[in-house]
């Protein structure tokens, strides 16, 4: 009989995996929101008005939106852990080199790439938590990762990074957040694993039957519409 994560892995191991993914959520949202405190400095340097500068947030969301489905397919093909590391690493690298951008178009492209990385990470971020938990613990774990950790990263990007921008300048503060994301990706690469009995999470072939089953899943569409409403709000 196949054992569940609750019986085959220790209690401490599950919460260790949650801690690693939660760190990933903090780093992901930090590199999402850290651009906002730099708007004034970027606008002054690149001679853009506030609406044009603020459009950098929308460009991040453009990359974030278009990569969700490809990110999920990538996870199926190369496995959950590699996808987590690749997504967060890509976002971190994009923010790490943002300080080298010579003009607004270069920074705009950089933000789209960062959004793609964040999307790839979050495409399996929820799953990376839920595969380790069952029943009521799943709700608690997802609340800590998607709720608390997500909010901590956003708050750090909006508030803490305003002080770093003032002290170091945006060309140093943004790459600093990027380095933190890359470092977190390395930590996840070293420490994260999926439950031993869930072998398909290490990578599997993408089939038409699998795609049909996913696209025909009623609960999936309900979840998607709910998220659309939440992000819209």
């Amino acid at each position: 009989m196949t054992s569940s994560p609750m019986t085959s892995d220790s209690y401490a191991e599950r919460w260790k995996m949650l801690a690693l993914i939660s760190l990933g959520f903090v780093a992901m949202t930090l590199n999402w929101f850290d651009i906002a405190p730099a708007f004034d400095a970027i606008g002054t340097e690149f001679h853009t008005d506030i609406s044009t500068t603020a459009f950098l947030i929308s460009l991040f969301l453009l990359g974030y939106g278009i990569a969700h489905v490809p990110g999920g397919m990538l996870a199926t093909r190369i496995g959950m852990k590699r996808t987590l590391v690749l997504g967060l690493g890509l976002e971190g690298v994009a923010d790490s080199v943002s300080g080298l951008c010579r003009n607004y178009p270069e920074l705009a492209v950089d933000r789209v790439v960062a959004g793609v990385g964040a999307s790839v990470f979050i495409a399996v971020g929820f799953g990376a938590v839920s595969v380790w938990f069952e029943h009521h613990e799943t709700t608690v774990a997802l609340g800590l990762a998607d709720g608390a950790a997500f909010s901590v990263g956003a708050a750090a990007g909006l508030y803490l990074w305003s002080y770093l921008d003032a002290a170091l300048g945006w060309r140093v503060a943004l790459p600093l957040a990027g380095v933190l994301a890359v470092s977190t990706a390395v930590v996840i690469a070293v420490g994260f694993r999926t439950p031993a009995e869930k072998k398909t999470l290490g990578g599997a072939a993408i089939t038409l039957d699998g795609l049909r089953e996913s696209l025909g899943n009623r609960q999936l569409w309900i979840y998607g519409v709910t998220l659309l409403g939440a992000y819209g709000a």
Side-chain angles (χ1 to χ4, degrees):
M1 183 174 71
T2 303
S3 19
S4 71
M6 296 293 290
T7 57
S8 62
D9 297 284
S10 71
Y11 183 86
E13 183 77 355
R14 294 195 300 278
W15 291 96
K16 174 187 173 183
M17 297 303 112
L18 174 62
L20 290 172
I21 300 303
S22 296
L23 284 175
F25 270 98
V26 171
M28 187 271 288
T29 51
L30 167 60
N31 283 267
W32 179 340
F33 290 95
D34 63 351
I35 191 75
F39 280 168
D40 285 343
I42 291 171
T44 299
E45 183 173 340
F46 292 156
H47 308 292
T48 54
D49 58 30
I50 185 60
S51 61
T52 302
T53 309
F55 190 61
L56 292 169
I57 290 286
S58 297
L59 290 170
F60 182 99
L61 289 172
L62 173 65
Y64 186 83
I66 63 177
H68 262 35
V69 173
M73 295 176 70
L74 180 67
T76 300
R77 189 69 188 91
I78 70 173
M80 180 175 282
K81 178 177 178 177
R82 293 187 184 94
T83 305
L84 290 167
V85 174
L86 177 63
L88 190 59
L90 178 62
E91 184 188 18
V93 168
D95 229 21
S96 296
V97 302
S98 60
L100 302 177
C101 294
R102 297 164 295 180
N103 49 52
Y104 181 87
E106 289 184 1
L107 185 57
V109 172
D110 182 88
R111 293 305 292 174
V112 173
V113 174
V116 169
S119 181
V120 170
F121 172 84
I122 209 169
V124 290
F126 301 121
V129 173
S130 60
V131 296
W132 280 101
F133 295 89
E134 291 182 347
H135 311 306
H136 68 280
E137 281 191 348
T138 305
T139 305
V140 174
L142 288 172
L144 290 172
D146 182 41
F150 190 105
S151 299
V152 167
L158 290 172
Y159 300 106
L160 177 58
W161 250 248
S162 65
Y163 294 103
L164 291 178
D165 281 337
L168 305 173
W170 73 271
R171 289 186 177 276
V172 175
L174 291 185
L176 179 59
V179 170
L180 288 175
V182 172
S183 301
T184 304
V186 172
V187 171
I188 291 174
V190 172
F192 182 78
R193 69 178 183 86
T194 52
E197 65 275 8
K198 296 184 179 290
K199 295 181 173 57
T200 57
L201 295 179
I206 299 174
T207 65
L208 288 176
D209 288 340
L211 288 174
R212 290 193 194 98
E213 183 179 354
S214 297
L215 294 175
N217 188 302
R218 180 173 176 270
Q219 295 300 320
L220 180 64
W221 284 100
I222 293 174
Y223 184 61
V225 171
T226 303
L227 278 180
L228 180 64
Y231 277 117

